[in-house]
Amino acid sequence: MTSYINRRSLLRGGAGLALFGASAAVLAACGDDDSSSPSSSASGGTKDFGALNYQLSWVKNVEFAGAYIADTKGYYTAAGFSSVNLMAGGPNVSQDAVVASGKALLGISSPDITAAAVLKGAELVIVGAQYQKNPFCIMSLASAPINSPAELIGKKIGVQATNEPVWNAFLKANNIDPSKVTKVPAQFDPSPLVSKEVDGWFSFFTNEPNLLKTKGVDTAVMLLNDHGYPMVSEVYVVKKSTLTSDRDKLKAAIIGDIKGWTDSVADPKVGANLAATKYGKDLGLDEAEQVLESTAQNTVVSTDDTKKNGLFTITDELIEETIKTLALGGTTITKEQLFDMSVLTEIYTENPTLKGTS
């Protein structure tokens, strides 16, 4: 589980925002990766956008399945890019700072991190979201499930220090007195749940439940998103100036991603295989577990709304809910400051067949 331990500290504003104040050049160096894929120059009348520098929010696990597929199948090349550099993230890389520095055309981030950066003066904006729901959950054993916030009362819940802001906001959203729930300081190994030292465990629904499943442990999952804490995640962040200076280039990159993620939704094994055997080969990933994660994340990538409006689109209602959820955690920002959905609107207006059924 080492690959995931620091991820949640990045998804909270703390680590990511602290890094935002560091040297953009240093951060970009941390993010740069030697796995750039050279491709033949665009031809046949397609624009030549040169290299695509794409900053990921974490290490190269199956979380970025759609990008791996798009790169492997040549979707970015077909859109006009001569080469592709998928830049790995990690605990020492602030994806928002890399994008703000101009070292990457676009990046994958989280609304809380981007909102905090914007409020500090960063000229960034969110233009879409891969996850229509945030992945935080309360995991419990299937033999003793916690299915609703009310069932937390009187229970012992393992909560990591970096996740306490989300935990506190979640309790506030559900009008639960923190004193009525025993918060047990925890790391990221869910063994205390398996040994029944705690009743529940704060985690990602795509991660720990699937890790335990591969070990024969059945769990139940309560998504925070479904209980008063709705928020998009895995958002596309770009410089505001990109919306005018490199709009076509940005649209081309997102079109490549739409095609890649459409394939991933159709077959979660494809991206899992690429993560384990190619892009994340050095991470020692378990391909079977990656398939489980890919299958799980597809449930929040492809929803009724995206099937109607297209992948990565965000409804006005979900944008409003995200803004309200951010406020619960103490981040006050307007939708106009944080979101601009015009690029995706143009993409699907110009390419209606991209909506497909995903």
Side-chain angles (χ1 to χ4, degrees):
M1 294 178 63
T2 304
S3 298
Y4 303 89
I5 286 178
N6 289 319
R7 175 145 185 71
R8 274 167 229 112
S9 66
L10 274 173
L11 284 176
R12 294 309 307 152
L17 187 57
L19 284 172
F20 194 89
S23 165
V26 172
L27 292 171
C30 292
D32 275 331
D33 186 289
D34 63 4
S35 62
S36 177
S37 299
S39 305
S40 58
S41 297
S43 59
T46 302
K47 291 184 178 180
D48 184 357
F49 294 118
L52 170 61
N53 292 314
Y54 186 161
Q55 180 64 58
L56 308 179
S57 58
W58 194 237
V59 296
K60 293 182 178 179
N61 58 19
V62 77
E63 187 173 333
F64 312 105
Y68 307 152
I69 295 172
D71 186 28
T72 300
K73 291 192 174 183
Y75 294 150
Y76 297 129
T77 302
F81 293 98
S82 58
S83 63
V84 180
N85 181 22
L86 299 179
M87 303 157 66
N92 297 316
V93 179
S94 170
Q95 61 270 19
D96 290 67
V98 173
V99 173
S101 74
K103 299 295 183 180
L105 174 69
L106 76 169
I108 301 298
S109 191
S110 180
D112 49 354
I113 293 177
T114 302
V118 168
L119 292 175
K120 280 187 170 289
E123 291 294 317
L124 298 172
V125 66
I126 292 171
V127 297
Q130 291 176 355
Y131 286 12
Q132 299 294 298
K133 295 183 178 182
N134 81 74
F136 286 112
C137 76
I138 302 297
M139 176 178 66
S140 53
L141 295 177
S143 58
I146 296 174
N147 296 315
S148 70
E151 294 176 22
L152 291 170
I153 296 175
K155 300 291 198 307
K156 295 180 180 179
I157 309 298
V159 181
Q160 305 77 17
T162 53
N163 285 332
E164 286 188 9
V166 178
W167 167 252
N168 292 332
F170 176 65
L171 294 181
K172 181 179 179 181
N174 287 279
N175 298 311
I176 295 176
D177 184 344
S179 68
K180 295 184 181 298
V181 185
T182 301
K183 180 183 68 179
V184 179
Q187 298 300 317
F188 291 88
D189 179 355
S191 297
L193 176 66
V194 179
S195 62
K196 300 182 180 180
E197 296 172 45
V198 295
D199 304 297
W201 196 259
F202 204 97
S203 72
F204 274 13
F205 87 101
T206 54
N207 187 0
E208 286 90 341
N210 288 314
L211 289 172
L212 291 182
K213 186 173 183 179
T214 62
K215 300 179 184 299
V217 179
D218 292 328
T219 61
V221 166
M222 178 179 69
L223 275 177
L224 271 59
N225 197 99
D226 295 341
H227 297 278
Y229 201 82
M231 183 166 65
V232 292
S233 190
E234 298 296 276
V235 297
Y236 288 96
V237 60
V238 303
K239 293 173 65 175
K240 284 187 176 180
S241 60
T242 296
L243 298 181
T244 52
S245 64
D246 283 310
R247 193 175 186 88
D248 286 346
K249 187 175 181 179
L250 175 61
K251 286 162 66 174
I254 294 176
I255 286 172
D257 261 23
I258 290 171
K259 293 179 178 179
W261 276 103
T262 296
D263 289 354
S264 183
V265 169
D267 186 354
K269 294 180 181 178
V270 177
N273 174 262
L274 290 173
T277 65
K278 183 179 179 182
Y279 294 89
K281 185 177 180 180
D282 296 337
L283 299 175
L285 301 171
D286 181 325
E287 186 169 343
E289 192 274 334
Q290 292 289 284
V291 171
L292 292 175
E293 286 202 28
S294 184
T295 301
Q297 75 179 356
N298 281 348
T299 66
V300 294
V301 171
S302 177
T303 64
D304 288 342
D305 285 332
T306 63
K307 288 176 182 177
K308 176 183 178 182
N309 303 318
L311 290 177
F312 316 148
T313 57
I314 314 173
T315 64
D316 290 340
E317 180 183 7
L318 188 47
I319 287 177
E320 293 286 358
E321 290 177 344
T322 297
I323 294 297
K324 290 179 181 178
T325 297
L326 289 172
L328 285 173
T331 300
T332 302
I333 193 168
T334 67
K335 62 182 180 181
E336 290 80 12
Q337 286 176 289
L338 191 58
F339 292 95
D340 186 319
M341 302 305 299
S342 64
V343 171
L344 274 168
T345 297
E346 285 182 20
I347 286 174
Y348 285 115
T349 298
E350 296 165 357
N351 307 274
T353 58
L354 286 177
K355 288 185 179 181
T357 57
S358 296

